[in-house]
Amino acid sequence: MTYRNRRPRRAAHATDVVVLGAGPAGLVLGNILLDRGIDCVVLERAERTHVQTRARAGFLAANTVRILTRNGLAGGLHRRGQIHSTCEFRTEDGRFRLDYSGLGPRERHTVYPQQELVTDLLTQFLERGGRIRFGTEAVTVRDADTARPEVAVREADGRPGTWRARYVAGCDGRHGAARRSLPARAVRHHRDHGVTWLGLLAEAPPSLDAVGYAVHERGFAGHMARTSKVTRYYLQCERGTPADTWSEERIWDELELRMRTREYGPLRRGRVVQRSVLDLESDVLEPLRHGALFLVGDAAGLISPSAAKGANLAVLEAEILAHALIDDLTAGDPEGLDAYSARCLTHIWRAQEFSHWMIGLLHGPSGADGESLFHNSLRRSRLASLRTSRTKQDWFAEHYVGV
Ligand code: APR
């Protein structure tokens, strides 16, 4: 009898909490659990270098800084983060600036590139003895409605593996295994905002001492500092535009046109080092809990970058879930877990509502039909009341910098 070279099936791994994904959500969750002695593992499909160098968001709300600080995770951002508290609108009706540190809750943003935050979180997690399996892709979550859910994975060596846990935290983004494993009863609210941005990262110092929002008949343009040497720009473009279509010359000329640099001063040009095309869309999953499986961050809901809320919501939800898991696993108190979904959805929908309002503020249809003209007049009126009404400015500050 010949025996096929049947490599022995690897025994299932076991832990209390399996965290899928090493982004802001997964790493904040993992660090807080580890700090309170909860046995957990983070499964991340990418390699460590990719996780640490991925340039994504970088605009941290005051509450996010508070969360990271009280959990001992803010050393890097306190040392190297830049405080920001002003945004500047440039429109067909002129330019105005809002220093939101004196408005509403009187809070400010901290600009700190996400790849630096993720590197800090990763380093701290590993230094605390945290377990991360890089190159390990979660394939599906099974038996989430039982007390022993399982995560089927493809290990780094390509072989199948299994993780058994008490709970699974889906921090693996909008295309991850957690979303793929949801039962039919899961509801996905989705909106395509009909707007597309060409996202650019330029090796150029910031050109404004503020977040710049330019509203122009040719389309939106945005300016957001990342570091003293790198600036993120956005250019609204036609849907389906390939990222590499525009020459650097055309990119800078268009940015200068839309940001009205003839009136307000030139942009500091530099090499465009990263491009991406982004169709602005949002979605929210309801509920965020399915038995032992919890959705966190982008896995729970995708939000457009118009108000820079994504990473801030991810950190907020991660702390809420961490405390709920700790209460359940150390004190047998399930109340936090039972309330997780409703509590996070309140924050998510509030952020979605403001992000949707921002999209309406910054983008007007270019058509000349009645609907477009009406929408454009609404947009100009919104900007006018933001420019002139202190009540509106307080409301804006509360939602823009709050999470
Ligand atoms: N198995 C394991 N890991 C996975 C899988 C999978 N099947 N699918 C995705 N991942 C990993 C990704 O490689 C990534 O490292 O999950 C992680 C998800 O991280 P993010 O996409 O950053 O999501 P999240 O932590 O929720 O942060 C959300 O941060 O990236 C910013 O602004 C952005 O809104 C976003 C916010």
Side-chain angles (χ1 to χ4, degrees):
M1 174 184 279
T2 55
Y3 286 88
R4 281 188 303 129
N5 174 19
R6 291 176 59 78
R7 290 185 293 186
R9 281 188 67 77
R10 192 182 261 124
H13 311 281
T15 183
D16 282 338
V17 181
V18 169
V19 178
L20 305 183
L27 290 170
V28 167
L29 176 60
N31 267 293
I32 300 174
L33 291 178
L34 189 71
D35 194 45
R36 300 290 295 277
I38 302 295
D39 188 78
C40 63
V41 67
V42 176
L43 305 181
E44 167 55 56
R45 72 177 171 190
E47 292 308 325
R48 177 170 181 175
T49 44
H50 177 73
V51 169
Q52 291 191 188
T53 53
R54 223 175 8 200
R56 308 257 322 247
F59 216 49
L60 301 179
N63 191 52
T64 303
V65 174
R66 283 192 289 271
I67 292 171
L68 294 169
T69 303
R70 63 174 170 251
N71 288 289
L73 301 170
L77 79 86
H78 284 311
R79 285 192 300 276
R80 298 188 298 277
Q82 303 288 322
I83 297 296
H84 258 249
S85 62
T86 306
C87 43
E88 180 173 304
F89 294 87
R90 296 181 178 182
T91 79
E92 62 267 58
D93 298 319
R95 171 176 66 167
F96 66 98
R97 290 164 66 94
L98 287 182
D99 178 353
Y100 47 84
S101 63
L103 296 166
R106 287 169 165 69
E107 291 186 332
R108 302 180 295 178
H109 280 108
T110 300
V111 176
Y112 190 56
Q114 181 162 315
Q115 61 270 36
E116 295 199 32
L117 175 62
V118 167
T119 300
D120 297 346
L121 295 171
L122 197 50
T123 306
Q124 196 142 341
F125 185 69
L126 293 171
E127 283 173 355
R128 287 173 165 174
R131 290 186 293 166
I132 291 191
R133 295 289 182 92
F134 291 104
T136 299
E137 178 166 15
V139 176
T140 188
V141 179
R142 290 191 292 253
D143 304 331
D145 52 357
T146 70
R148 296 303 292 168
E150 285 189 354
V151 182
V153 301
R154 187 174 300 107
E155 308 269 15
D157 61 7
R159 291 166 58 184
T162 305
W163 279 88
R164 289 205 181 96
R166 183 69 193 81
Y167 294 108
V168 179
C171 305
D172 51 349
R174 63 178 301 200
H175 300 301
R179 279 203 180 193
R180 288 199 303 268
S181 307
L182 296 180
R185 69 174 180 275
V187 175
R188 177 182 181 240
H189 305 270
H190 177 254
R191 179 176 179 87
D192 179 341
H193 299 287
V195 172
T196 299
W197 282 1
L198 175 61
L200 305 155
L201 213 54
E203 268 175 357
S207 302
L208 285 72
D209 62 347
V211 174
Y213 296 112
V215 187
H216 192 278
E217 60 184 10
R218 292 169 66 90
F220 166 75
H223 162 287
M224 290 154 193
R226 276 291 177 268
T227 68
S228 58
K229 297 188 178 68
V230 176
T231 304
R232 179 169 287 287
Y233 286 96
Y234 290 111
L235 269 176
Q236 183 180 357
C237 60
E238 291 300 316
R239 180 138 303 182
T241 303
D244 56 2
T245 300
W246 296 30
S247 70
E248 285 208 8
E249 190 68 25
R250 181 180 170 200
I251 284 172
W252 287 110
D253 290 347
E254 192 67 24
L255 280 168
E256 297 203 348
L257 194 63
R258 296 186 191 182
M259 297 197 77
R260 298 176 173 84
T261 53
R262 280 212 195 122
E263 296 167 77
Y264 305 125
L267 299 181
R268 302 167 79 176
R269 298 193 175 201
R271 194 164 60 91
V272 174
V273 292
Q274 191 194 74
R275 299 161 177 246
S276 59
V277 172
L278 184 72
D279 294 338
L280 267 58
E281 56 179 324
S282 301
D283 73 5
V284 179
L285 275 296
E286 286 198 58
L288 300 181
R289 174 185 191 179
H290 294 274
L293 172 61
F294 293 84
L295 301 177
V296 194
D298 271 13
L302 186 73
I303 192 164
S304 84
S306 57
K309 295 286 184 192
N312 293 295
L313 280 172
V315 170
L316 176 73
E317 293 154 20
E319 188 191 47
I320 291 172
L321 181 58
H323 290 167
L325 286 168
I326 290 162
D327 289 349
D328 181 83
L329 290 167
T330 59
D333 175 1
E335 192 184 335
L337 292 179
D338 294 342
Y340 170 77
S341 181
R343 190 173 166 199
C344 287
L345 284 168
T346 303
H347 295 291
I348 289 172
W349 281 115
R350 179 173 167 174
Q352 288 285 354
E353 194 280 330
F354 181 71
S355 173
H356 183 63
W357 180 84
M358 279 289 278
I359 289 171
L361 185 78
L362 302 175
H363 304 83
S366 50
D369 58 286
E371 170 76 15
S372 301
L373 292 173
F374 184 84
H375 178 98
N376 258 325
S377 301
L378 272 187
R379 177 181 58 75
R380 293 177 74 170
S381 169
R382 274 183 183 165
L383 281 161
S385 64
L386 188 59
R387 185 172 59 244
T388 55
S389 158
R390 174 60 192 260
T391 312
K392 193 70 176 181
Q393 292 168 1
D394 286 332
W395 173 87
F396 174 83
E398 181 191 352
H399 289 77
Y400 183 62
V401 72
V403 174

